[in-house]
Amino acid sequence: MSTLICGSIAYDTIMVFRDRFKNHILPDKLHILNVAFLVPDLRREFGGCAGNIAYSLHMLGGDPLIMATVGDDHAPYSERLEKLALNQRYVRKVLGTYTAQAFITTDVDDNQITAFHPGAMNHSHENRVADALNGGGASRVSLGIVAPDGREGMLQHAREFHEGGVPFIFDPGQGLPMFSGEELFEFIRMADYVTVNDYEAQMLQERTGESVESLAKLVKAFVVTLGARGSVIYTERGQIDIPSVKAQAIVDPTGCGDAFRAGLLHGIASDMDWATTGRLASLMGAMKIAHRGGQNHKYTRGDIGEWYYTSFGTRIW
């Protein structure tokens, strides 16, 4: 069965400044800030939550359908998705726009200055989940996720999953500040699962006025990632603590959360228990962090199974 992944497709342009920002920003001149940084190191990565999640889910043997909006500059990304055999049926081109993109400058202390242009992402509401649920060969959709995207698109896609009777994960991510407490509460009420990191969990509690434990009662599972400390899954049967997996190297956290979510989606779609699902998700995050960018880790399903066995002592397949 297919998993419909609603979220962004984006280009990430990453630059490295071989000095410290603080050496070039004068605190008493912030009101007339005008700085330029020489960045001899530059790379461009394929990113966006939907693209990253689909990449890792496909690696696991899942059948992801990407629902996203792209701009006039989408051709390189489209060629990549085609080579990866990732379905682009619901990737919509919005004429006169750029594909969403982030421009990230990092200094030697790993401080970052980021400029983000949403571009075509602001038109995400032009895609309709109902089209995927009712259209042709894609009628096999049995699971979905609403990941960070345009504000109106996230609201609409959640409603359409709910109205279509298709279970979905609500993953607000960096889009969480766009919504009021009432809107966030409504997202959770419609969703079957929620996943956030510990910072987002705190913000969610402040916005809604409800505790994580209280919000978790509204869904089948509420997942909170804790970085190197693993994650916690709140279910109707109680709290499940998921350990972290030791990575081969700590290179780049970009896209780790998306790889983790791919593990969650595959576990749910495969009807795994929550302990196994959480461990698989944890493993996927650890595999990603050893590589730069959100889509440069390459493993076979067999590789993943062996690493799972080495990490947890049991076979997953």
Side-chain angles (χ1 to χ4, degrees):
M1 305 295 283
S2 298
T3 299
L4 186 63
I5 302 172
C6 300
S8 62
I9 278 183
Y11 292 115
D12 295 331
T13 300
I14 303 166
M15 298 157 280
V16 178
F17 176 53
R18 297 178 183 175
D19 199 344
R20 293 176 171 84
F21 293 142
K22 67 180 182 181
N23 294 337
H24 299 265
I25 298 176
L26 302 176
D28 60 336
K29 299 296 183 182
L30 291 178
H31 62 294
I32 54 170
L33 185 65
N34 188 352
V35 295
F37 302 109
L38 178 66
V39 288
D41 303 309
L42 181 149
R43 70 181 192 274
R44 196 183 199 200
E45 301 283 1
F46 297 101
C49 296
N52 292 345
I53 294 171
Y55 178 84
S56 287
L57 183 56
H58 183 68
M59 188 183 301
L60 282 163
D63 182 23
L65 288 174
I66 300 172
M67 177 166 281
T69 44
V70 297
D72 296 330
D73 57 344
H74 77 294
Y77 211 134
S78 180
E79 292 171 5
R80 173 177 174 77
L81 294 178
E82 184 174 352
K83 289 179 181 177
L84 293 170
L86 287 170
N87 194 311
Q88 300 181 64
R89 179 172 183 174
Y90 300 108
V91 176
R92 178 188 295 267
K93 179 180 177 181
V94 182
L95 295 176
T97 69
Y98 289 105
T99 300
Q101 43 202 296
F103 299 89
I104 305 164
T105 304
T106 303
D107 73 0
V108 294
D109 291 329
D110 285 332
N111 296 308
Q112 290 186 334
I113 297 175
T114 300
F116 181 73
H117 175 68
M121 200 176 81
N122 283 336
H123 297 263
S124 60
H125 57 280
E126 296 179 16
N127 274 327
R128 293 181 54 82
V129 166
D131 293 338
L133 301 186
N134 302 321
S139 60
R140 299 176 297 114
V141 170
S142 61
L143 181 65
I145 184 170
V146 175
D149 207 349
R151 172 184 156 80
E152 295 307 314
M154 291 179 71
L155 289 165
Q156 176 180 301
H157 296 156
R159 286 194 298 267
E160 292 177 335
F161 272 126
H162 181 65
E163 292 168 359
V166 174
F168 73 96
I169 294 176
F170 174 49
D171 170 26
Q174 63 266 33
L176 195 153
M178 296 190 297
F179 304 104
S180 67
E182 182 178 341
E183 288 170 329
L184 291 167
F185 190 84
E186 183 64 9
F187 270 120
I188 297 170
R189 188 191 67 80
M190 292 187 291
D192 294 81
Y193 318 95
V194 174
T195 180
V196 290
N197 63 30
D198 48 354
Y199 178 81
E200 294 157 0
Q202 183 61 38
M203 185 181 294
L204 196 58
Q205 291 176 97
E206 293 175 358
R207 288 281 174 101
T208 63
E210 300 283 347
S211 67
V212 164
E213 291 78 8
S214 177
L215 294 172
K217 294 178 181 178
L218 301 175
V219 292
K220 296 177 181 177
F222 194 107
V223 184
V224 181
T225 59
L226 306 171
R229 294 180 289 127
S231 59
V232 178
I233 303 178
Y234 298 87
T235 73
E236 61 181 7
R237 295 186 178 182
Q239 177 180 318
I240 303 172
D241 295 319
I242 304 296
S244 62
V245 174
K246 185 177 181 180
Q248 292 179 332
I250 307 297
V251 175
D252 181 9
T254 304
C256 285
D258 297 326
F260 182 96
R261 282 144 181 77
L264 288 181
L265 287 166
H266 190 69
I268 294 169
S270 303
D271 200 27
M272 296 177 182
D273 61 68
W274 282 112
T276 303
T277 296
R279 285 171 168 77
L280 176 61
S282 182
L283 173 63
M284 294 302 294
M287 297 175 94
K288 205 292 336 151
I289 204 170
H291 302 267
R292 293 194 181 280
Q295 299 178 27
N296 292 318
H297 51 298
K298 298 178 182 179
Y299 300 95
T300 66
R301 182 176 165 89
D303 293 335
I304 296 169
E306 286 304 311
W307 198 342
Y308 186 97
Y309 177 73
T310 299
S311 299
F312 303 112
T314 57
R315 296 287 180 185
I316 192 170
W317 45 66

